[in-house]
Amino acid sequence: MRVERVVVSAEEIAARIPVLARDIAEGLGAEPRDPVLVAVMTGALIFAADLVRHLPVPLRLSLATVSSYPGTATSSQGARLKGELPQDLAGRDVILVDDILDSGRTLRLVQARMPELEPASLRTCVLLRKRIPSALETPCDHIGFDIPDVFVVGYGLDYDGYYRNLPAVHAMVPTATA
Ligand code: IMP
Ligand code: MG
């Protein structure tokens, strides 16, 4: 696999994040209920870090770890929650943040588990959404960019753990094998 063309540039991301943050803040309304932003690890790490700094509301930051693309897989192997969801969400406005919406399994898994934690509200936000039916049909409140159905890395997204540190989102393409 080789890192190739830029799909979303660092500049495009930087311009979009304040707009997303404003939309999220508006969605919380005039009287937010002790909001907590739950970032899905590890892919949403960079995005969430940039996003929270543009959210003009007092909030707490929490983490959930979901694994769906273990190792060198480039298609979802089924979402699995590692450990527990944050247990202190009752009565609070929860903003769930993930890097990319693909099969939709990650968001659906976390959404399905939320009611038992009794948050006051749940809103979801992803930086990227692939233009494929499984992603388009998964309810999500805030979407940064719709992108083609390619495997991407950078800005938090990985291939076998690598490339999360790239400032832009790039397509990864298979290298020809001899
Ligand atoms: P879903 O559960 O299939 O919607 O995929 C969500 C998770 O799969 C994301 O949080 C990523 O960790 C991973 N993922 C999906 N598509 C890609 C991709 O193109 N590159 C890297 N990781 C991806
Ligand atoms: Mg992920």
Side-chain angles (χ1 to χ4, degrees):
M1 298 286 280
R2 192 177 67 227
V3 178
E4 275 222 352
R5 68 176 203 281
V6 171
V7 176
V8 187
S9 70
E11 292 74 22
E12 289 172 303
I13 296 170
R16 184 80 179 109
I17 283 182
V19 179
L20 277 174
R22 193 199 57 210
D23 291 348
I24 291 169
E26 276 176 20
L28 290 171
E31 291 180 18
R33 290 155 291 191
D34 197 9
V36 54
L37 184 144
V38 180
V40 179
M41 288 294 103
T42 304
L45 174 65
I46 313 268
F47 175 41
D50 281 344
L51 188 63
V52 286
R53 283 178 283 177
H54 285 90
L55 279 168
V57 287
L59 57 72
R60 288 192 267 178
L61 189 50
S62 205
L63 307 175
T65 302
V66 179
S67 175
S68 57
Y69 273 42
T72 57
T74 55
S75 66
S76 176
Q77 306 295 302
R80 218 159 32 82
L81 199 56
K82 287 202 207 157
E84 276 308 306
L85 288 172
Q87 295 296 301
D88 53 352
L89 305 180
R92 301 166 64 187
D93 291 318
V94 175
I95 308 146
L96 182 70
V97 173
D98 203 358
D99 52 359
I100 187 165
L101 182 49
D102 178 16
S103 74
R105 290 192 182 115
T106 303
L107 277 196
R108 286 178 194 277
L109 170 75
V110 178
Q111 279 166 339
R113 296 286 302 276
M114 271 298 160
E116 66 200 61
L117 299 172
E118 302 180 335
S121 73
L122 172 67
R123 297 181 77 81
T124 49
C125 173
V126 294
L127 177 70
L128 307 169
R129 178 174 67 175
K130 288 187 187 170
R131 256 184 240 109
I132 53 175
S134 58
L136 298 171
E137 287 159 11
T138 301
C140 183
D141 299 299
H142 304 280
I143 292 141
F145 301 91
D146 278 316
I147 63 165
D149 183 19
V150 290
F151 190 80
V152 289
V153 295
Y155 197 74
L157 293 113
D158 74 302
Y159 173 70
D160 200 15
Y162 292 97
Y163 309 118
R164 295 193 197 275
N165 55 317
L166 296 176
V169 174
H170 296 255
M172 272 213 84
V173 297
T175 38
T177 46

